[in-house]
Amino acid sequence: MFLTNFSFSQDIHWSQFDYNPVFQNPANVGQFNGGDYRFHANYRDQWRSVTVPFQTFSVSGEAKSILHDNLSLGAFIFNDVTGDGQFRTIEIQPSASWTFKLTPDSTHLLRVGAQVGLNYRQFNADAFTFDSQWNGTFFDPGLPTEEIFVTQRRTNATFGIGASYEFFKTKKARVTGGVGLFNINRPNQGFFGDEILRNRRFNLFAKGEYKIDLDWDILPSIQLNLQGTYRELIMGSQARYTMNDRLGEYLAVVFGGYLRGGDAAYIVGGVEWQNWWAGISYDVNFSKLYVASRARGGIEFSLRYILKTYKPDNRLFRVCPDYI
């Protein structure tokens, strides 16, 4: 909470980081129960009250125990569009994780993960106006910009690594924490011919789940991102009230609040029904941009589905009926 320095990040960020695990850390791939496949979709709309909104859309998928019981595979893709020039970033990152059982009963688990993929960026220079186009009275788009862009598109490879530790006592008593390092190869993102290296991003996160009583659970979490001069510390908690959990039926509501140090506070709420999750959050901005934003930060939606496949019981023997 004391890290109040703020600047625009080179990487996108999410408020509902707990519901975008593959983007958060490749070691999170396969870190779920109740199924064999997990899918997430996230959408964020930010700064609509200030300028052309920053819009980000992301989808991810994971599969557990692929080729080996300890191997999980996943991938995410996001599309981010910002500003008047429609500055677009598309990133595709396949990921893989390997699980080490530190104890025979799987109470303590260590996961390591890696991701490698492509980062594509482009913008539309024709949408901008420059000082040289001011004719003394108004901006004239017909005047030369005197700007030289070597390219308006750039594609780079990028990769990251991560590790996480999980203490799993019961279904509603667990602690997970992890570290990740991204943009390790520092890809070039310059458009003017000069080499502008993308800063490495360090991520640290921790979250827990603790049962208070029969119906209530508490879900605290914290995340720290460091990238160049950018600092982002988020901490808060959610509470979950289980309305029904019997005879194969499950329904719960979740709500909570978080603080992003020096920038914003936000509330989050959602519903868990069977293998589905649907959530919404809203940021209230209190940084120096408050005057322009009028405290309106951004709205974010998340959706999750866990799929359990049917596995036939391949018996290698026949059971004789009792009456024979």
Side-chain angles (χ1 to χ4, degrees):
M1 293 174 61
F2 297 99
L3 300 177
T4 58
N5 295 330
F6 177 80
S7 65
F8 288 105
S9 170
Q10 293 177 331
D11 285 354
I12 64 171
H13 73 135
W14 301 94
S15 290
Q16 298 185 56
F17 54 88
D18 287 334
Y19 303 107
N20 201 333
V22 183
F23 176 81
Q24 183 184 54
N25 193 314
N28 287 336
V29 173
Q31 197 270 314
F32 61 94
N33 297 303
D36 304 292
Y37 302 91
R38 181 170 66 172
F39 305 93
H40 281 91
N42 302 77
Y43 174 77
R44 181 175 179 84
D45 184 287
Q46 188 171 357
W47 306 129
R48 181 172 290 272
S49 61
V50 180
T51 180
V52 177
F54 292 23
Q55 296 177 317
T56 311
F57 177 70
S58 169
V59 293
S60 67
E62 305 156 74
K64 296 176 65 173
S65 303
I66 299 297
L67 303 177
H68 192 281
D69 289 343
N70 296 328
L71 177 65
S72 298
L73 301 178
F76 73 81
I77 178 173
F78 73 76
N79 178 58
D80 179 62
V81 182
T82 65
D84 294 327
Q86 296 292 292
F87 182 70
R88 184 183 302 274
T89 302
I90 301 175
E91 193 161 293
I92 303 173
Q93 294 275 7
S95 307
S97 74
W98 187 272
T99 303
F100 296 93
K101 297 179 181 180
L102 303 182
T103 54
D105 60 357
S106 299
T107 302
H108 300 271
L109 299 174
L110 174 66
R111 291 184 175 90
V112 294
Q115 57 184 207
V116 59
L118 295 176
N119 178 279
Y120 170 79
R121 293 186 170 190
Q122 72 170 41
F123 69 97
N124 178 17
D126 295 334
F128 296 127
T129 56
F130 299 88
D131 291 348
S132 60
Q133 295 176 294
W134 176 255
N135 63 11
T137 305
F138 59 89
F139 278 100
D140 183 356
L143 294 177
T145 65
E146 300 181 7
E147 300 290 332
I148 300 176
F149 297 99
V150 175
T151 180
Q152 295 183 33
R153 296 174 177 85
R154 181 169 291 280
T155 302
N156 291 294
T158 181
F159 62 91
I161 57 175
S164 71
Y165 163 78
E166 180 183 10
F167 170 64
F168 183 92
K169 185 177 181 180
T170 64
K171 181 180 179 181
K172 294 187 177 182
R174 69 175 70 183
V175 176
T176 306
V179 294
L181 183 63
F182 306 92
N183 311 320
I184 295 176
N185 57 321
R186 300 201 65 192
N188 178 25
Q189 56 184 10
F191 292 101
F192 294 91
D194 296 333
E195 189 177 42
I196 308 297
L197 300 181
R198 190 177 178 188
N199 288 324
R200 296 186 181 96
R201 177 170 60 89
F202 173 79
N203 175 277
L204 174 68
F205 79 92
K207 60 182 179 180
E209 184 172 353
Y210 181 74
K211 182 177 181 179
I212 299 177
D213 60 26
L214 185 63
D215 298 323
W216 286 94
D217 309 304
I218 186 171
L219 313 170
S221 57
I222 184 172
Q223 176 175 264
L224 172 67
N225 276 308
L226 307 176
Q227 185 175 19
T229 60
Y230 171 70
R231 304 287 186 270
E232 180 190 62
L233 177 65
I234 305 175
M235 60 175 60
S237 182
Q238 301 170 66
R240 177 171 58 206
Y241 176 69
T242 303
M243 304 176 68
N244 186 17
D245 187 10
R246 59 177 183 172
L247 302 178
E249 295 291 329
Y250 177 74
L251 177 64
V253 293
V254 180
F255 57 91
Y258 288 82
L259 177 67
R260 181 184 293 112
D263 179 38
Y266 61 91
I267 56 175
V268 59
V271 176
E272 291 179 329
W273 175 69
Q274 301 296 83
N275 291 335
W276 288 91
W277 154 269
I280 182 173
S281 63
Y282 190 81
D283 293 26
V284 179
N285 172 245
F286 56 73
S287 70
K288 294 180 180 179
L289 194 60
Y290 171 86
V291 178
S293 69
R294 290 171 291 176
R296 291 180 241 173
I299 191 170
E300 186 174 308
F301 301 93
S302 64
L303 185 67
R304 179 191 68 207
Y305 177 66
I306 297 177
L307 173 65
K308 183 175 179 61
T309 58
Y310 172 72
K311 298 179 180 179
D313 185 10
N314 295 322
R315 297 187 178 183
L316 303 179
F317 58 90
R318 293 181 179 274
V319 178
C320 294
D322 293 338
Y323 56 81
I324 292 181

